[in-house]
Amino acid sequence: MSMFLDTAKISVQAGRGGDGMVAFRREKYVPNGGPWGGDGGKGGSVIFRVDEGLRTLMDFRYNRKFKAKSGEKGMTKGMHGRGSEDLIVSVPQGTTVRDAETGKVITDLVEHGQEVVIAKGGRGGRGNIRFATPRNPAPEISENGEPGEERQLELELKILADVGLVGFPSVGKSTLLSVVSSAKPKIGAYHFTTIVPNLGMVRTKSGDSFAMADLPGLIEGASQGVGLGTQFLRHIERTRVILHIIDMSASEGRDPYEDYVSINNELETYNLRLMERPQIIVANKMDMPEAQENLISFKEKLVAQYDEFEEVPMIFPISSLAHQGLDNLLEATAELLAKTDEFLLYDESDLVDEEAYYGFSEAEKDFDITRDDDATWVLSGEKLERLFVMTNMERDESIMKFARQLRGMGVDEALRERGAKDGDLVRIGQFEFEFVD
């Protein structure tokens, strides 16, 4: 089984904040000491950090749940609970993180050491020392800790390569990579010898260097799932230049020009933006019989497809096995890279609005009212449910405070408008209470 993994689905949960405490100061000779309950500590966040030592998402095959620790509860003497440490999750360079529910891209992690907070830890609940007022100098009110963010995520690895090699199986992509770099891909005289992407660093004689990726071979119909399909085409999305390898000897009986057209059709079907990348055509296996004649025919067919003022892709005849023509190819590739900007993988419509992602969307409603089959009114909504979870239901004063918050949000008025009457049951989660008009 291949030890390369480039997609994973995981769940992350940040730590809950610690509960605030209700306590009172009791010291000899100090009458009416007042409230002394401290705040809870902050829950740990889940942070993704890029580690250039990682090459795959294999670590996420068996470990799919990541949960940060909760903060400590508040203590007496006004002491705060200890905040929990953040949970650091290492990911390889080139990892794209998506929200599994919406499909939106949360972040694209490409730089070594880059960190992104994926799930924020909940804040600690306030102790009763925070609620003292001249009217109520000894409150028996405290807050529970805020729940941490919880997300279902899809991770997708797109390796960081400047140059991508594409072409039919057995056209010599792996051989070329092994000759021009220190990479040692598996090479065999059969289709799909390469079943995972290979990456190598290339250095030209003039001193330029770039990363080159050899991808598993494409065949006609790959975009519909034939062969290995488009399983690994995601890795070419980060490349700036594509080397299109053609077997000019036609050793397998296919026409070189038809191969060229077929592969471009598959690239266009997978993602139109792949065709925006400049291509260099690499005529490989030129040491084989009939390769020269096939190259002449290939050039004629290629030029016929372009208008007089259109730029025809460069063609470099090479032989990877005989080490012929490689220096010119690499120098031209380095020059093309130098004048080709990086391609943005995502536009604004693909990305999550960070404020909305963390629950601060202005358009979001504070609450919703529905009615169950048993005639119970059901209150829901992220803001309302957060207030409920942070309310200490063991303290009467906390419950009264929550009732005032609901009234301030307009819940009472909204229930009346919907037809709620005295004695009707109202439910929030598993908690039920009677509506009093």
Side-chain angles (χ1 to χ4, degrees), residues 254-273:
R254 298 189 308 269
D255 180 72
Y257 184 74
E258 290 181 3
D259 281 5
Y260 172 75
V261 174
S262 295
I263 296 301
N264 278 341
N265 286 339
E266 297 305 324
L267 295 179
E268 188 172 11
T269 302
Y270 172 76
N271 184 343
L272 289 172
R273 298 191 63 188

Side-chain angles (χ1 to χ4, degrees), residues 96-160:
T96 297
V97 184
R98 296 178 184 271
D99 188 298
E101 296 178 1
T102 65
K104 291 284 188 177
V105 176
I106 298 171
T107 185
D108 199 24
L109 300 163
V110 296
E111 298 178 7
H112 176 58
Q114 182 181 352
E115 291 186 355
V116 172
V117 177
I118 293 297
K120 290 184 178 180
R123 66 176 177 85
R126 292 175 291 179
N128 69 332
I129 199 171
R130 298 283 190 177
F131 296 97
T133 63
R135 180 178 294 181
N136 185 8
E140 294 189 16
I141 301 175
S142 68
E143 286 180 336
N144 293 336
E146 182 183 27
E149 295 281 344
E150 188 172 358
R151 294 285 181 265
Q152 303 296 320
L153 303 176
E154 293 178 351
L155 307 185
E156 188 176 38
L157 176 61
K158 301 178 181 180
I159 58 177
L160 298 175

Side-chain angles (χ1 to χ4, degrees), residues 5-39:
L5 188 71
D6 57 0
T7 60
K9 288 187 177 182
I10 65 171
S11 62
V12 297
Q13 184 176 352
R16 182 191 183 100
D19 297 341
M21 188 174 194
V22 173
F24 295 94
R25 184 178 181 184
R26 293 183 176 87
E27 292 184 59
K28 195 175 183 180
Y29 309 120
V30 183
N32 303 321
W36 223 11
D39 299 345

